[in-house]
Amino acid sequence: MKTFIYIFLVCLSTSVFSQKKPSDYFRNPKTKVLVVGSFHFDYPNLDAHKTNKEDQIDVLSPKTAKEVTELVEYIKKFKPTKIAIEAWPSWNANQKLKEYNEGKHRDQRDERYQLAMRIANELTINELYSIDAESVLDDLEKQFGKTDSVFFKKIMKDYDFRSDDPISQQFILFYKSSEPKNFKSLLDNFIYMNSKESHRYGYGAYLSGDFKLREYDGADMLALYWYSRNLRMFRNIQKIPHHSEDRILVIAGNGHAAVLRQLFTSSAEYDFIEFSSMKE
């Protein structure tokens, strides 16, 4: 009898005190997503980090064109069914894709042509989803006017992504070392850029320098401008019609990819695929 009572109490305590892991509550099939963070192949130099002319590569040169092919074949291992790109709706991606399929734009260096459209063409995917978005700060400026607003003048003063902060200077060295010319191939460069560690520090770059402007101005600017824009890009991806068997490829600047990694890995709706996992 004592043995029976002991076993009963053990079973009771196990059922009462054992708890499922959080992930056990989200076993629903998830849509797989591969985020490919890229540098801008045509070097518009509109981002905070500028690439000097002597450090730029030409993706149309015979040697690098072969590396682009290697990169394209690697990404195709993901077998995407949908492709999202960093582009405004006004860029008319699907009209350009139609023209690309007719043989046009093959000499364009932009990664949206060299990667997204080429992959779409080779996998017979006939639609691209443009996911770029303005931030809530852009909306507020349009509504209230940046130049006339005391608030905007105050919060934006000196927010220019340039800083003598020691950590910011370390990030300059990190970005320079991440240039494709420092790698034996474009694929190796992309594996490095899209690693968990690289994205972690890429995300952290925004938490130094101008982030520390005054008491909260830098933090508020990051939320209103950069983080808001990326949240909206994530929301645009959510609006892409999808089911659990879809595989969404997202091609965007690597600064966006670092934030999107955080959002996708925290989402119960998607299964984030590591870029490096396709080596296996």
Side-chain angles (χ1 to χ4, degrees):
M1 186 64 180
K2 288 182 179 179
T3 302
F4 174 78
I5 293 173
Y6 174 76
I7 294 173
F8 173 76
L9 290 175
V10 168
C11 292
L12 180 63
S13 64
T14 301
S15 63
V16 170
F17 296 110
S18 65
Q19 176 58 282
K20 291 181 179 180
K21 296 182 297 183
S23 59
D24 289 335
Y25 292 92
F26 306 98
R27 294 291 188 184
N28 53 300
K30 299 176 180 63
T31 299
K32 288 181 167 52
V33 175
L34 175 68
V35 177
V36 178
S38 175
F39 65 95
H40 294 305
F41 285 10
D42 55 345
Y43 293 102
N45 271 345
L46 299 176
D47 298 319
H49 173 68
K50 316 293 184 190
T51 303
N52 297 328
K53 188 70 177 176
E54 63 270 18
D55 294 329
Q56 298 176 9
I57 63 169
D58 182 2
V59 294
L60 298 182
S61 69
K63 175 184 178 296
T64 312
K66 290 180 181 178
E67 294 178 12
V68 172
T69 297
E70 180 188 26
L71 176 59
V72 165
E73 292 302 317
Y74 182 86
I75 296 172
K76 282 166 57 179
K77 292 180 182 179
F78 176 62
K79 299 179 181 178
T81 60
K82 306 279 176 71
I83 300 177
I85 58 173
E86 180 190 345
W88 306 102
S90 60
W91 196 68
N92 295 320
N94 289 314
Q95 176 60 33
K96 288 181 169 69
L97 175 60
K98 181 176 179 294
E99 294 165 355
Y100 183 94
N101 290 337
E102 295 168 352
K104 301 176 183 176
H105 306 308
R106 305 302 172 97
D107 60 346
Q108 297 292 322
R109 290 174 171 80
D110 189 318
E111 69 278 2
R112 292 171 292 191
Y113 294 103
Q114 291 295 320
L115 298 181
M117 289 192 193
R118 180 171 174 180
I119 292 168
N121 173 267
E122 294 179 7
L123 297 180
T124 61
I125 296 172
N126 295 315
E127 184 174 10
L128 297 175
Y129 295 89
S130 297
I131 60 165
D132 211 346
E134 291 187 325
S135 68
V136 67
L137 181 65
D138 294 314
D139 291 348
L140 292 171
E141 286 178 358
K142 288 175 184 175
Q143 184 171 352
F144 300 109
K146 177 171 68 174
T147 55
D148 298 330
S149 169
V150 173
F151 172 79
F152 284 126
K153 285 181 180 178
K154 173 186 174 297
I155 194 174
M156 297 177 73
K157 186 176 184 298
D158 299 325
Y159 195 88
D160 56 9
F161 300 104
R162 291 190 291 270
S163 174
D164 293 329
D165 173 79
I167 295 178
S168 295
Q169 296 304 305
Q170 292 170 11
F171 274 110
I172 291 174
L173 295 176
F174 167 59
Y175 287 134
K176 283 185 176 294
S177 72
S178 303
E179 297 284 3
K181 72 181 185 68
N182 297 318
F183 294 81
K184 68 179 183 180
S185 73
L186 204 52
L187 176 56
D188 282 349
N189 178 224
F190 269 67
I191 290 172
Y192 178 86
M193 284 197 305
N194 286 278
S195 68
K196 185 182 297 186
E197 184 176 15
S198 182
H199 278 165
R200 178 162 62 90
Y201 282 102
Y203 182 88
Y206 296 96
L207 305 177
S208 60
D210 283 355
F211 183 77
K212 300 176 182 178
L213 278 176
R214 295 171 288 279
E215 185 173 10
Y216 296 124
D217 286 350
D220 290 344
M221 276 295 295
L222 181 70
L224 288 167
Y225 170 62
W226 181 244
Y227 208 69
S228 169
R229 184 179 168 197
N230 283 280
L231 287 171
R232 289 181 173 197
M233 290 173 72
F234 181 79
R235 179 70 189 101
N236 284 337
I237 296 169
Q238 284 184 320
K239 289 189 284 186
I240 297 173
H242 62 278
H243 49 72
S244 60
E245 295 181 4
D246 270 320
R247 304 171 70 86
I248 301 176
L249 169 63
V250 180
I251 298 177
N254 204 34
H256 297 294
V259 184
L260 291 173
R261 167 190 282 273
Q262 183 195 56
L263 300 176
F264 277 116
T265 54
S266 300
S267 170
E269 184 178 358
Y270 298 98
D271 181 12
F272 181 86
I273 304 300
E274 288 289 346
F275 185 81
S276 62
S277 68
M278 289 178 296
K279 289 192 301 183
E280 300 168 359

